[in-house]
Amino acid sequence: MVPVLVEKLTALGYEVAVEPGAGADAECPDDAYREAGATVDATAVEGAAVVIAVQPLEASRLSRLPAGTATISFLPTTTSPELVAAARDAQVTAFAMELIPRISRAQSMDALSSQAMVAGYRSMMIAGERLRRFLPLNMTAAGTVPPAEIMVLGAGVAGLQAIATAKRLGAVVRAYDVRAAAAEEIASMGAKPIELELDTLEGAGGYAREMTEDRAARQRELLTPYVANADALITTAAVPGRQAPVLVTRDMVEQMKPGSVVVDLAAESGGNVEGSVTGEEVMIGNALVHGASNVPSQMPAPASRLYAQNVINLLALMTVEGEFAPDFEDEVVAGCCVTHGGDIRHQPTAKALAGKEGTAT
Ligand code: NAD
C-alpha cells in the first residue's frame, strides 16, 4: 500500500495498519502513512481481517493467522505449494493477484499487466543506458548520425511498453510476436512489425501457444538476420504456465555487432536468450547480455502505486457496506481465490498438491 492511496481504503470503511518500514524501500516513509490516516504498528498483521502484501507471507506467518483471515498478495501457486498448504491448514482465505482473470471488468485489478508495464518501460531504459550511442537520428553540421535500431521480441504488455519507450526516445524499432493481433498492435506503437513466413500461434484467451520444436527452429533461423542487425535486442516472450521459449541462441547473439546490448526480460522464467543469467550481465560475442531480475522493484514507487491501486480495486469488489464480504460466485473473486475455509479452491493447485501430498504419505 502507498500513503496516497490509504484514504481510498478508509473511504471503503477500513482501518489501516502498516508494519514499520513496510514502505521504506518504495520511498514511502512511516510518517507519510501516519499523515494519510494509517497507524504504524509492529503488530499490524495480528487481528487484521485482510492482510495486503506484495510477496506472500511466509508459511510460519500464515500458520499463525486466525482462521478466516484473508490475504491478498502475489502467490505463486506452482512454485510455492507449501504456502498454499499453510494457508489451507490455517483456514486462511488467500487471494493470488496473478490469478485474477484477464477479462475487461478486471483490468483495473490486473497486477500482472501493471507490473509488466513497469518492466517493459524499464527494460528500454536498461538497454538505452548500456548502449553507447545516440538513440534518435541526429542531423548536425558534423554529419548525420543514424538512429539506433532496437528489436523487441514478444509484444505483450511489457513488449509494447518497451516499444513505446524506444519510439519516444527516437529509435527505429522492429518487433515480432507469434500472436495474430500483434502486427497491428506493434504498428500502432509506431514500430515496424517483422513479418515471418510462419503460422501465427494463438492460444486460449488471446495468449500465445507453445511452439513445436520445428517451428521454433525455423523462427530462430528467420529472425537471425534481424538480430544481427539490431543495436539492442529486448526479449519479453512468455507462454502462460510454461518456461519461457528460447527465441535467440548463443550463435545468433554472436552475430551481433560490437557495442550491442541484449536485455532478456524473461531471464527469471528460463530466458528467451540462450546464455543469459538472471541478475547478471555477461558478454556473448560482442554483445552485453543483461539477464533481468525483478525489474518492477527497480522503480518501486510507481510500481507500488500501480499495485496498490490494483489491490484496492479488488478489495472494493469484495467490500459491501464497509464490511469485507467476498462473493465467491463472482468470476473475479472465485478466479483468484486459492484457499478458503480449509479447502483449496483453485483446482489446478488442488490437483497438483493432492499429487504431491499423496506421494509424500
Ligand atoms: P505474456 O507475458 O504471457 O507474453 C508476452 C508476449 O510474448 C505475448 O504477447 C506472447 O504472444 C509473446 N510470445 C510468446 N511466445 C512467443 C514466441 N515464441 N515468439 C514471439 N513472441 C512470443 O503476455 P501478456 O503481456 O500478459 O499479454 C498477452 C496478451 O494478453 C496480449 O494480447 C494482451 O493485450 C492481452 N491481455 C489482456 C488483458 C485483459 O483483457 N485484461 C490483460 C493483459 C493482457
Side-chain angles (χ1 to χ4, degrees):
M1 190 46 53
V2 291
V4 285
L5 296 181
V6 163
E7 66 180 24
K8 294 202 177 184
L9 284 178
T10 28
L12 283 173
Y14 294 103
E15 283 173 21
V16 183
V18 183
E19 286 189 334
D25 286 345
E27 296 149 16
C28 302
D30 287 349
D31 277 346
Y33 289 101
R34 287 193 192 92
E35 280 158 27
T39 53
V40 176
D41 174 4
T43 61
V45 168
E46 286 167 31
V50 186
V51 179
I52 298 170
V54 180
Q55 303 302 336
L57 299 187
E58 301 102 67
S60 58
R61 293 190 83 190
L62 281 167
S63 306
R64 288 202 303 274
L65 294 177
T69 307
T71 63
I72 301 178
S73 67
F74 281 112
L75 179 54
T77 51
T78 33
T79 50
S80 304
E82 73 289 356
L83 297 182
V84 177
R88 174 198 61 194
D89 296 345
Q91 300 196 24
V92 164
T93 303
F95 296 98
M97 291 301 285
E98 57 272 73
L99 293 180
I100 288 178
R102 296 185 103 177
I103 55 174
S104 334
R105 182 164 67 88
Q107 263 177 13
S108 65
M109 309 164 203
D110 185 349
L112 285 181
S113 285
S114 67
Q115 302 307 294
M117 200 264 271
V118 177
Y121 170 83
R122 188 72 176 178
S123 68
M124 184 54 221
M125 302 320 263
I126 294 170
E129 222 247 336
R130 280 151 187 76
L131 267 180
R132 296 184 301 175
R133 54 169 301 148
F134 286 104
L135 288 163
L137 170 82
N138 263 300
M139 295 215 252
T140 78
T144 300
V145 185
E149 292 256 354
I150 311 290
M151 178 170 175
V152 177
L153 289 178
V157 179
L160 289 174
Q161 193 57 222
I163 293 170
T165 308
K167 282 303 296 177
R168 284 184 204 118
L169 291 167
V172 170
V173 188
R174 286 175 216 280
Y176 175 72
D177 192 293
V178 289
R179 287 181 297 103
E184 205 178 305
E185 292 162 6
I186 291 165
S188 75
M189 293 287 166
K192 300 177 184 171
I194 296 173
E195 314 263 8
L196 303 183
E197 285 188 12
L198 286 173
D199 295 339
T200 52
L201 286 180
E202 203 90 11
Y207 285 96
R209 267 190 293 124
E210 212 179 5
M211 301 185 274
T212 60
E213 189 39 46
D214 270 3
R215 191 197 181 284
R218 182 83 185 120
Q219 179 176 312
R220 288 194 287 264
E221 192 187 321
L222 293 171
L223 286 174
T224 298
Y226 294 97
V227 171
N229 194 46
D231 294 301
L233 167 68
I234 297 173
T235 62
T236 74
V239 179
R242 308 253 170 209
Q243 186 158 331
V246 178
L247 307 185
V248 180
T249 59
R250 186 177 280 275
D251 184 50
M252 289 162 80
V253 179
E254 280 171 356
Q255 296 181 42
M256 295 178 83
K257 294 169 285 196
S260 308
V261 171
V262 177
V263 178
D264 186 356
L265 212 49
E268 278 168 315
S269 55
N272 291 146
V273 179
E274 188 186 12
S276 74
V277 184
T278 314
E280 287 184 28
E281 292 189 336
V282 295
M283 288 303 293
I284 299 181
N286 293 312
L288 175 77
V289 180
H290 178 99
S293 167
N294 195 1
V295 177
S297 73
Q298 295 173 25
M299 296 191 6
S304 299
R305 184 176 175 140
L306 292 166
Y307 177 74
Q309 187 62 61
N310 292 144
V311 170
I312 289 170
N313 293 336
L314 177 64
L315 206 47
L317 177 71
M318 300 196 285
T319 305
V320 182
E321 291 171 6
E323 294 294 322
F324 181 67
D327 169 9
F328 292 100
E329 300 292 310
D330 183 288
E331 181 186 0
V332 176
V333 176
C336 66
C337 179
V338 180
T339 60
H340 177 61
D343 292 327
I344 299 179
R345 292 283 183 109
H346 183 242
Q347 284 314 311
T349 306
K351 271 199 201 128
L353 221 72
K356 277 202 178 74
E357 292 181 336
T359 326
T361 48

